[in-house]
Amino acid sequence: MRSTLRPIPLQLLLLSLLVALSPLHVKCYAPVPQLLQIHRSTIDQLKLDPRTSPLPSDPPLPHPDMFYLRHILEYDEGLEEEDEGAINLLSGIQQTLAWRRGPGVDICTSASDAISLALSSGVWDNDPVLSAAPHSTLISPYLKSSIITTPSSTSDLIYCIRAGSIDDVTLMSSVPVGSLIDFFLYAKEVNCQIADSLSLKTGRFTRVVTANDLSGVNIFGDASFRKALSEASTTASKIYPQINGPTLLLNLPRVLSALVKLFKPIFPKKVQEKLKFKQGPLKGVEDLREISREGEKRDVFLKQIRELV
């Protein structure tokens, strides 16, 4: 059954789309070894503090130093003084740990196990990761050809999503909103674990750059799909601090592009600063596998992304 939607003002549709897809905190940092050295005392304190350390029954933190470092950098605070920033830091860590031991316990455990399997042969195998995703058998057929994550030439991760090729109406007719939220959060947990591993390996602070190919997108698509995307994004922004890099909105349809330019002044200033619009990247890519490690269009795509970010 197709969704029946009441008309929604276009500016509200655009604002919800852009806010859901856009990180509000993008900073450039020193090399990771230097950052860890600067914040070593605070990290060690947080590890030992019962308020901010995992319980024995919690899913283990795959990369504890990076976990605490991302939270510290999110709030730009240490623990020297009990000011508002330090309180926010403690609260942020507690909120993340509460999610990991509560609603996110299965997501975190499954992601860690799947990554271990994916790396067991010495060459990344994505099948175990996709198979372990929540409700994968229902959701994957609709998304696997429309979403890909691949490393950039600068050690960031590029998360590409081709929204226009997702049959969101059919998908949401068989998948509850909560199930899709779990699926998106699982993908975020996997990307975060890999980003932390790359940060420690390369010494560069790894982020996830989101490339949204909006060619053919239907801005009046299924409302429940937009709700799942928005709620997953809101939760992820709280429990995965400093993981989001820039958001690239690529190949907007002409009408949508004109509307974005018209309504952009009403968006929050921080959102305006983080959005980048571009025609071209992914436009000539029929299958997203063409930009994977072995893809023939990968080099051109990475060059275009590097010029944007």
mmCIF file of all heavy atoms in Angstrom, residues 123-161:
data_model
loop_
_atom_site.group_PDB
_atom_site.id
_atom_site.type_symbol
_atom_site.label_atom_id
_atom_site.label_comp_id
_atom_site.label_asym_id
_atom_site.label_seq_id
_atom_site.Cartn_x
_atom_site.Cartn_y
_atom_site.Cartn_z
ATOM 1 N N VAL A 123 41.821 -9.764 3.937
ATOM 2 C CA VAL A 123 41.243 -8.872 2.929
ATOM 3 C C VAL A 123 39.791 -8.624 3.312
ATOM 4 O O VAL A 123 39.063 -9.564 3.626
ATOM 5 C CB VAL A 123 41.313 -9.493 1.511
ATOM 6 C CG1 VAL A 123 40.671 -8.558 0.499
ATOM 7 C CG2 VAL A 123 42.750 -9.807 1.128
ATOM 8 N N TRP A 124 39.377 -7.376 3.279
ATOM 9 C CA TRP A 124 38.031 -7.026 3.729
ATOM 10 C C TRP A 124 36.971 -7.770 2.937
ATOM 11 O O TRP A 124 36.959 -7.760 1.712
ATOM 12 C CB TRP A 124 37.801 -5.528 3.612
ATOM 13 C CG TRP A 124 36.414 -5.103 4.034
ATOM 14 C CD1 TRP A 124 35.329 -4.911 3.227
ATOM 15 C CD2 TRP A 124 35.966 -4.851 5.377
ATOM 16 N NE1 TRP A 124 34.236 -4.557 3.968
ATOM 17 C CE2 TRP A 124 34.592 -4.512 5.289
ATOM 18 C CE3 TRP A 124 36.583 -4.880 6.622
ATOM 19 C CZ2 TRP A 124 33.840 -4.186 6.415
ATOM 20 C CZ3 TRP A 124 35.827 -4.561 7.735
ATOM 21 C CH2 TRP A 124 34.482 -4.218 7.637
ATOM 22 N N ASP A 125 36.055 -8.420 3.659
ATOM 23 C CA ASP A 125 34.921 -9.126 3.065
ATOM 24 C C ASP A 125 33.660 -8.524 3.665
ATOM 25 O O ASP A 125 33.383 -8.693 4.852
ATOM 26 C CB ASP A 125 35.005 -10.622 3.363
ATOM 27 C CG ASP A 125 33.813 -11.400 2.818
ATOM 28 O OD1 ASP A 125 32.979 -10.802 2.103
ATOM 29 O OD2 ASP A 125 33.704 -12.606 3.117
ATOM 30 N N ASN A 126 32.888 -7.825 2.865
ATOM 31 C CA ASN A 126 31.731 -7.094 3.392
ATOM 32 C C ASN A 126 30.532 -7.980 3.702
ATOM 33 O O ASN A 126 29.616 -7.562 4.417
ATOM 34 C CB ASN A 126 31.297 -6.009 2.393
ATOM 35 C CG ASN A 126 30.432 -4.950 3.047
ATOM 36 O OD1 ASN A 126 30.836 -4.314 4.012
ATOM 37 N ND2 ASN A 126 29.221 -4.775 2.533
ATOM 38 N N ASP A 127 30.522 -9.205 3.205
ATOM 39 C CA ASP A 127 29.349 -10.071 3.389
ATOM 40 C C ASP A 127 29.007 -10.307 4.860
ATOM 41 O O ASP A 127 27.822 -10.229 5.242
ATOM 42 C CB ASP A 127 29.553 -11.406 2.666
ATOM 43 C CG ASP A 127 29.434 -11.263 1.158
ATOM 44 O OD1 ASP A 127 28.905 -10.223 0.701
ATOM 45 O OD2 ASP A 127 29.884 -12.166 0.433
ATOM 46 N N PRO A 128 29.992 -10.624 5.727
ATOM 47 C CA PRO A 128 29.633 -10.826 7.143
ATOM 48 C C PRO A 128 29.041 -9.574 7.792
ATOM 49 O O PRO A 128 28.156 -9.677 8.652
ATOM 50 C CB PRO A 128 30.968 -11.197 7.799
ATOM 51 C CG PRO A 128 31.817 -11.710 6.692
ATOM 52 C CD PRO A 128 31.417 -10.912 5.495
ATOM 53 N N VAL A 129 29.517 -8.403 7.377
ATOM 54 C CA VAL A 129 29.019 -7.149 7.950
ATOM 55 C C VAL A 129 27.578 -6.907 7.522
ATOM 56 O O VAL A 129 26.720 -6.556 8.338
ATOM 57 C CB VAL A 129 29.917 -5.966 7.521
ATOM 58 C CG1 VAL A 129 29.316 -4.636 7.986
ATOM 59 C CG2 VAL A 129 31.319 -6.136 8.093
ATOM 60 N N LEU A 130 27.296 -7.124 6.253
ATOM 61 C CA LEU A 130 25.936 -6.920 5.770
ATOM 62 C C LEU A 130 24.980 -7.954 6.355
ATOM 63 O O LEU A 130 23.858 -7.626 6.755
ATOM 64 C CB LEU A 130 25.912 -6.993 4.238
ATOM 65 C CG LEU A 130 24.577 -6.657 3.561
ATOM 66 C CD1 LEU A 130 24.140 -5.242 3.902
ATOM 67 C CD2 LEU A 130 24.699 -6.820 2.045
ATOM 68 N N SER A 131 25.431 -9.190 6.455
ATOM 69 C CA SER A 131 24.566 -10.256 6.976
ATOM 70 C C SER A 131 24.205 -10.041 8.437
ATOM 71 O O SER A 131 23.120 -10.421 8.886
ATOM 72 C CB SER A 131 25.251 -11.619 6.813
ATOM 73 O OG SER A 131 25.470 -11.912 5.450
ATOM 74 N N ALA A 132 25.127 -9.435 9.196
ATOM 75 C CA ALA A 132 24.905 -9.236 10.634
ATOM 76 C C ALA A 132 24.081 -7.997 10.945
ATOM 77 O O ALA A 132 23.711 -7.774 12.101
ATOM 78 C CB ALA A 132 26.244 -9.151 11.359
ATOM 79 N N ALA A 133 23.790 -7.181 9.947
ATOM 80 C CA ALA A 133 23.018 -5.962 10.190
ATOM 81 C C ALA A 133 21.615 -6.308 10.671
ATOM 82 O O ALA A 133 21.036 -7.309 10.243
ATOM 83 C CB ALA A 133 22.939 -5.133 8.908
ATOM 84 N N PRO A 134 21.058 -5.506 11.558
ATOM 85 C CA PRO A 134 19.696 -5.779 12.044
ATOM 86 C C PRO A 134 18.688 -5.831 10.892
ATOM 87 O O PRO A 134 18.684 -4.942 10.033
ATOM 88 C CB PRO A 134 19.401 -4.583 12.965
ATOM 89 C CG PRO A 134 20.735 -4.049 13.348
ATOM 90 C CD PRO A 134 21.634 -4.302 12.174
ATOM 91 N N HIS A 135 17.905 -6.891 10.866
ATOM 92 C CA HIS A 135 16.833 -7.041 9.863
ATOM 93 C C HIS A 135 17.384 -6.994 8.446
ATOM 94 O O HIS A 135 16.729 -6.494 7.519
ATOM 95 C CB HIS A 135 15.767 -5.954 10.070
ATOM 96 C CG HIS A 135 15.436 -5.682 11.507
ATOM 97 N ND1 HIS A 135 14.709 -6.573 12.272
ATOM 98 C CD2 HIS A 135 15.778 -4.645 12.326
ATOM 99 C CE1 HIS A 135 14.597 -6.068 13.506
ATOM 100 N NE2 HIS A 135 15.228 -4.924 13.555
ATOM 101 N N SER A 136 18.585 -7.538 8.282
ATOM 102 C CA SER A 136 19.271 -7.440 6.991
ATOM 103 C C SER A 136 18.495 -8.096 5.855
ATOM 104 O O SER A 136 18.465 -7.584 4.738
ATOM 105 C CB SER A 136 20.660 -8.074 7.097
ATOM 106 O OG SER A 136 21.351 -7.994 5.863
ATOM 107 N N THR A 137 17.883 -9.232 6.126
ATOM 108 C CA THR A 137 17.192 -9.942 5.048
ATOM 109 C C THR A 137 16.035 -9.128 4.478
ATOM 110 O O THR A 137 15.713 -9.249 3.286
ATOM 111 C CB THR A 137 16.665 -11.304 5.538
ATOM 112 O OG1 THR A 137 15.840 -11.100 6.699
ATOM 113 C CG2 THR A 137 17.815 -12.230 5.902
ATOM 114 N N LEU A 138 15.418 -8.298 5.306
ATOM 115 C CA LEU A 138 14.320 -7.463 4.841
ATOM 116 C C LEU A 138 14.807 -6.181 4.168
ATOM 117 O O LEU A 138 14.250 -5.742 3.158
ATOM 118 C CB LEU A 138 13.398 -7.084 6.011
ATOM 119 C CG LEU A 138 12.489 -8.169 6.587
ATOM 120 C CD1 LEU A 138 11.750 -7.624 7.799
ATOM 121 C CD2 LEU A 138 11.489 -8.637 5.531
ATOM 122 N N ILE A 139 15.847 -5.587 4.734
ATOM 123 C CA ILE A 139 16.251 -4.240 4.323
ATOM 124 C C ILE A 139 17.303 -4.245 3.216
ATOM 125 O O ILE A 139 17.241 -3.429 2.286
ATOM 126 C CB ILE A 139 16.772 -3.452 5.545
ATOM 127 C CG1 ILE A 139 15.652 -3.310 6.585
ATOM 128 C CG2 ILE A 139 17.297 -2.086 5.145
ATOM 129 C CD1 ILE A 139 16.105 -2.718 7.905
ATOM 130 N N SER A 140 18.261 -5.143 3.287
ATOM 131 C CA SER A 140 19.391 -5.134 2.354
ATOM 132 C C SER A 140 18.987 -5.149 0.886
ATOM 133 O O SER A 140 19.603 -4.441 0.072
ATOM 134 C CB SER A 140 20.332 -6.306 2.646
ATOM 135 O OG SER A 140 20.944 -6.141 3.898
ATOM 136 N N PRO A 141 17.990 -5.938 0.485
ATOM 137 C CA PRO A 141 17.634 -5.936 -0.940
ATOM 138 C C PRO A 141 17.268 -4.556 -1.477
ATOM 139 O O PRO A 141 17.440 -4.291 -2.672
ATOM 140 C CB PRO A 141 16.437 -6.890 -1.000
ATOM 141 C CG PRO A 141 16.625 -7.808 0.164
ATOM 142 C CD PRO A 141 17.206 -6.945 1.232
ATOM 143 N N TYR A 142 16.789 -3.675 -0.618
ATOM 144 C CA TYR A 142 16.394 -2.338 -1.063
ATOM 145 C C TYR A 142 17.544 -1.335 -1.020
ATOM 146 O O TYR A 142 17.488 -0.308 -1.703
ATOM 147 C CB TYR A 142 15.250 -1.819 -0.188
ATOM 148 C CG TYR A 142 13.982 -2.622 -0.299
ATOM 149 C CD1 TYR A 142 13.691 -3.635 0.616
ATOM 150 C CD2 TYR A 142 13.061 -2.375 -1.315
ATOM 151 C CE1 TYR A 142 12.518 -4.377 0.516
ATOM 152 C CE2 TYR A 142 11.887 -3.108 -1.417
ATOM 153 C CZ TYR A 142 11.633 -4.112 -0.499
ATOM 154 O OH TYR A 142 10.479 -4.847 -0.604
ATOM 155 N N LEU A 143 18.561 -1.596 -0.205
ATOM 156 C CA LEU A 143 19.594 -0.593 0.030
ATOM 157 C C LEU A 143 20.983 -0.968 -0.486
ATOM 158 O O LEU A 143 21.800 -0.083 -0.734
ATOM 159 C CB LEU A 143 19.705 -0.294 1.538
ATOM 160 C CG LEU A 143 18.469 0.270 2.231
ATOM 161 C CD1 LEU A 143 18.792 0.592 3.686
ATOM 162 C CD2 LEU A 143 17.955 1.513 1.527
ATOM 163 N N LYS A 144 21.282 -2.259 -0.652
ATOM 164 C CA LYS A 144 22.668 -2.649 -0.881
ATOM 165 C C LYS A 144 23.245 -2.106 -2.174
ATOM 166 O O LYS A 144 24.460 -1.897 -2.274
ATOM 167 C CB LYS A 144 22.820 -4.172 -0.822
ATOM 168 C CG LYS A 144 22.112 -4.932 -1.927
ATOM 169 C CD LYS A 144 22.347 -6.430 -1.741
ATOM 170 C CE LYS A 144 21.659 -7.252 -2.825
ATOM 171 N NZ LYS A 144 21.875 -8.703 -2.607
ATOM 172 N N SER A 145 22.404 -1.856 -3.185
ATOM 173 C CA SER A 145 22.914 -1.291 -4.435
ATOM 174 C C SER A 145 22.895 0.234 -4.424
ATOM 175 O O SER A 145 23.339 0.875 -5.375
ATOM 176 C CB SER A 145 22.096 -1.798 -5.624
ATOM 177 O OG SER A 145 20.747 -1.377 -5.512
ATOM 178 N N SER A 146 22.377 0.822 -3.331
ATOM 179 C CA SER A 146 22.233 2.276 -3.254
ATOM 180 C C SER A 146 23.134 2.904 -2.207
ATOM 181 O O SER A 146 23.147 4.127 -2.064
ATOM 182 C CB SER A 146 20.771 2.636 -2.939
ATOM 183 O OG SER A 146 19.895 2.082 -3.885
ATOM 184 N N ILE A 147 23.874 2.087 -1.460
ATOM 185 C CA ILE A 147 24.738 2.588 -0.395
ATOM 186 C C ILE A 147 26.080 1.863 -0.446
ATOM 187 O O ILE A 147 26.137 0.650 -0.635
ATOM 188 C CB ILE A 147 24.102 2.377 0.997
ATOM 189 C CG1 ILE A 147 22.800 3.182 1.126
ATOM 190 C CG2 ILE A 147 25.062 2.783 2.109
ATOM 191 C CD1 ILE A 147 22.067 2.949 2.435
ATOM 192 N N ILE A 148 27.159 2.624 -0.294
ATOM 193 C CA ILE A 148 28.488 2.009 -0.234
ATOM 194 C C ILE A 148 29.374 2.891 0.632
ATOM 195 O O ILE A 148 29.234 4.117 0.648
ATOM 196 C CB ILE A 148 29.095 1.848 -1.651
ATOM 197 C CG1 ILE A 148 30.370 1.004 -1.603
ATOM 198 C CG2 ILE A 148 29.365 3.204 -2.292
ATOM 199 C CD1 ILE A 148 30.925 0.666 -2.984
ATOM 200 N N THR A 149 30.273 2.272 1.375
ATOM 201 C CA THR A 149 31.299 2.995 2.132
ATOM 202 C C THR A 149 32.660 2.578 1.605
ATOM 203 O O THR A 149 32.943 1.378 1.477
ATOM 204 C CB THR A 149 31.208 2.687 3.637
ATOM 205 O OG1 THR A 149 29.916 3.060 4.119
ATOM 206 C CG2 THR A 149 32.262 3.475 4.413
ATOM 207 N N THR A 150 33.492 3.548 1.297
ATOM 208 C CA THR A 150 34.797 3.259 0.729
ATOM 209 C C THR A 150 35.815 4.242 1.274
ATOM 210 O O THR A 150 35.469 5.394 1.562
ATOM 211 C CB THR A 150 34.742 3.336 -0.818
ATOM 212 O OG1 THR A 150 35.970 2.867 -1.373
ATOM 213 C CG2 THR A 150 34.469 4.747 -1.305
ATOM 214 N N PRO A 151 37.081 3.830 1.467
ATOM 215 C CA PRO A 151 38.086 4.761 1.979
ATOM 216 C C PRO A 151 38.478 5.800 0.942
ATOM 217 O O PRO A 151 38.507 5.513 -0.257
ATOM 218 C CB PRO A 151 39.272 3.850 2.336
ATOM 219 C CG PRO A 151 39.081 2.638 1.497
ATOM 220 C CD PRO A 151 37.611 2.457 1.321
ATOM 221 N N SER A 152 38.753 7.007 1.413
ATOM 222 C CA SER A 152 39.214 8.059 0.521
ATOM 223 C C SER A 152 40.732 7.983 0.390
ATOM 224 O O SER A 152 41.393 7.165 1.037
ATOM 225 C CB SER A 152 38.820 9.431 1.066
ATOM 226 O OG SER A 152 39.647 9.781 2.166
ATOM 227 N N SER A 153 41.284 8.852 -0.434
ATOM 228 C CA SER A 153 42.739 8.885 -0.611
ATOM 229 C C SER A 153 43.431 9.559 0.562
ATOM 230 O O SER A 153 44.661 9.552 0.651
ATOM 231 C CB SER A 153 43.088 9.617 -1.912
ATOM 232 O OG SER A 153 42.521 10.921 -1.920
ATOM 233 N N THR A 154 42.659 10.152 1.487
ATOM 234 C CA THR A 154 43.238 10.822 2.649
ATOM 235 C C THR A 154 42.874 10.124 3.956
ATOM 236 O O THR A 154 42.913 10.734 5.020
ATOM 237 C CB THR A 154 42.767 12.287 2.705
ATOM 238 O OG1 THR A 154 41.331 12.316 2.724
ATOM 239 C CG2 THR A 154 43.273 13.076 1.504
ATOM 240 N N SER A 155 42.474 8.847 3.853
ATOM 241 C CA SER A 155 42.174 8.006 5.017
ATOM 242 C C SER A 155 40.848 8.310 5.685
ATOM 243 O O SER A 155 40.569 7.772 6.755
ATOM 244 C CB SER A 155 43.302 8.083 6.072
ATOM 245 O OG SER A 155 44.506 7.603 5.523
ATOM 246 N N ASP A 156 40.031 9.179 5.080
ATOM 247 C CA ASP A 156 38.663 9.302 5.560
ATOM 248 C C ASP A 156 37.836 8.163 4.974
ATOM 249 O O ASP A 156 38.286 7.451 4.070
ATOM 250 C CB ASP A 156 38.054 10.646 5.131
ATOM 251 C CG ASP A 156 38.473 11.788 6.040
ATOM 252 O OD1 ASP A 156 38.670 11.540 7.251
ATOM 253 O OD2 ASP A 156 38.614 12.921 5.543
ATOM 254 N N LEU A 157 36.629 7.986 5.484
ATOM 255 C CA LEU A 157 35.670 7.068 4.887
ATOM 256 C C LEU A 157 34.638 7.889 4.127
ATOM 257 O O LEU A 157 34.194 8.927 4.617
ATOM 258 C CB LEU A 157 34.969 6.226 5.960
ATOM 259 C CG LEU A 157 35.849 5.273 6.762
ATOM 260 C CD1 LEU A 157 35.018 4.588 7.846
ATOM 261 C CD2 LEU A 157 36.485 4.222 5.854
ATOM 262 N N ILE A 158 34.265 7.436 2.946
ATOM 263 C CA ILE A 158 33.235 8.114 2.164
ATOM 264 C C ILE A 158 32.000 7.226 2.150
ATOM 265 O O ILE A 158 32.031 6.108 1.642
ATOM 266 C CB ILE A 158 33.702 8.398 0.729
ATOM 267 C CG1 ILE A 158 35.023 9.155 0.721
ATOM 268 C CG2 ILE A 158 32.627 9.210 -0.014
ATOM 269 C CD1 ILE A 158 35.591 9.374 -0.670
ATOM 270 N N TYR A 159 30.935 7.738 2.731
ATOM 271 C CA TYR A 159 29.663 7.023 2.788
ATOM 272 C C TYR A 159 28.780 7.583 1.686
ATOM 273 O O TYR A 159 28.333 8.731 1.748
ATOM 274 C CB TYR A 159 29.022 7.224 4.164
ATOM 275 C CG TYR A 159 27.656 6.619 4.334
ATOM 276 C CD1 TYR A 159 27.482 5.243 4.440
ATOM 277 C CD2 TYR A 159 26.521 7.428 4.417
ATOM 278 C CE1 TYR A 159 26.219 4.682 4.613
ATOM 279 C CE2 TYR A 159 25.251 6.884 4.595
ATOM 280 C CZ TYR A 159 25.114 5.517 4.694
ATOM 281 O OH TYR A 159 23.862 4.970 4.857
ATOM 282 N N CYS A 160 28.566 6.802 0.646
ATOM 283 C CA CYS A 160 27.780 7.246 -0.502
ATOM 284 C C CYS A 160 26.384 6.649 -0.433
ATOM 285 O O CYS A 160 26.231 5.443 -0.198
ATOM 286 C CB CYS A 160 28.439 6.813 -1.810
ATOM 287 S SG CYS A 160 30.093 7.454 -2.057
ATOM 288 N N ILE A 161 25.396 7.492 -0.675
ATOM 289 C CA ILE A 161 24.019 7.013 -0.713
ATOM 290 C C ILE A 161 23.326 7.633 -1.912
ATOM 291 O O ILE A 161 23.441 8.839 -2.156
ATOM 292 C CB ILE A 161 23.266 7.345 0.598
ATOM 293 C CG1 ILE A 161 21.815 6.852 0.517
ATOM 294 C CG2 ILE A 161 23.329 8.827 0.933
ATOM 295 C CD1 ILE A 161 21.088 6.862 1.846
#
